[in-house]
Amino acid sequence: MAKSIQVLDVCCSPVTAGVLDEDAAEELASAFKALADPARLRLLSMVAAAPEGEACACDLVEPSGRSQPTVSHHLALLVDAGLLTREKRGRWAWYSVVPERLAALQDVLRP
Amino acid sequence: MAKSIQVLDVCCSPVTAGVLDEDAAEELASAFKALADPARLRLLSMVAAAPEGEACACDLVEPSGRSQPTVSHHLALLVDAGLLTREKRGRWAWYSVVPERLAALQDVLRP
DNA sequence: CCAACACATCGACAGATGTCAATGTGTTGT
DNA sequence: ACAACACATTGACATCTGTCGATGTGTTGG
């Protein structure tokens, strides 16, 4: 069940820069897996579009069209993937995007 | 089983530019799904790194460590995703990367 | 203290996905 | 023509994944 630790460096140069070894490919793939689901992409975009750049989970459930447990699950995956950070304030959980992480993945796709 | 047609425009502005509607998210997700597997990432990188920028399927089976049918399967998915093109010459199939497609996905990740 | 709340976790289940062996299809050289 | 080749397709199977209802955990207001 996932590693969740040490996901911060996307590790590699562009996919086009040379043949990836199995380990690098595995790590990169798990990064893209986080983006490979419509529910997660929408959640990501909603957090990014939120005022102050952060969104409370409570404001994501209804517009996402998924159940609360499902939303919680996806948000956890996005955090594990390093794309979001989570900050618990009172009884709310606030999420923000990690632009560096997006940039790192973007870099991998450089043609 | 898959749509495979009309995959050419990644359709949308950066994920951070606004809330994605369900359709856009679905389309984007299927694009990233193609990148969400280590075998496919390696195949993609191998094609990109090949001389002349194209590679014969026959040269990808052994180094990929997967069976011939599996490689064929993954290459087909990458073509469907618009990341590779396939050109059949004689009894060989030659694959090349589609840099515009990579660039389009890259654009979606712009922070 | 207790009820209401926000969120996470668990258990279950259907559907998707990666993989391979076996087989099919088209091409080439002899 | 035929055998060997390169590749695609099929069928089968184990695993992964998204989803939800039910339940657990911590926090807040009265």
Side-chain angles (χ1 to χ4, degrees), chain A residues 64 84 86 107:
Chain A
S64 77
L84 290 182
R86 191 184 91 109
D107 229 50

Side-chain angles (χ1 to χ4, degrees), chain A residues 29 32-33 35-36, chain B residues 7 27-44 74-84 101 105:
Chain A
F32 283 119
K33 260 189 249 268
L35 297 171
Chain B
V7 204
E27 184 174 341
L28 263 184
S30 66
F32 284 119
K33 259 189 250 265
L35 297 171
D37 179 88
R40 284 193 291 274
L41 282 178
R42 296 196 66 211
L43 288 170
L44 188 60
H74 285 307
L75 289 173
L77 287 192
L78 286 169
V79 170
D80 275 359
L83 289 162
L84 292 182
R101 180 67 173 170
L105 284 179

Side-chain angles (χ1 to χ4, degrees), chain A:
Chain A
M1 42 190 64
K3 37 195 62 167
S4 73
I5 324 282
Q6 174 247 32
V7 205
L8 284 181
D9 47 326
V10 186
C11 88
C12 357
S13 23
V15 191
T16 57
V19 179
L20 294 171
D21 59 285
E22 192 71 47
D23 284 345
E26 193 85 44
E27 184 175 341
L28 262 184
S30 64
F32 283 119
K33 260 189 249 268
L35 297 171
D37 179 88
R40 284 193 290 275
L41 282 179
R42 296 196 67 212
L43 288 171
L44 189 61
S45 74
M46 292 163 92
V47 172
E52 315 294 324
E54 63 177 7
C56 167
C58 59
D59 294 327
L60 301 175
V61 172
E62 184 270 328
S64 77
R66 264 80 173 183
S67 73
Q68 178 270 320
T70 298
V71 170
S72 180
H73 170 66
H74 286 307
L75 289 173
L77 287 191
L78 286 169
V79 170
D80 275 358
L83 289 163
L84 290 182
T85 57
R86 191 184 91 109
E87 188 191 347
K88 185 121 186 189
R89 290 207 287 269
R91 45 183 169 185
W92 294 280
W94 291 88
Y95 293 88
S96 315
V97 310
V98 181
E100 304 79 25
R101 181 65 173 171
L102 274 181
L105 285 179
Q106 192 198 14
D107 229 50
V108 175
L109 262 23
R110 186 176 35 193

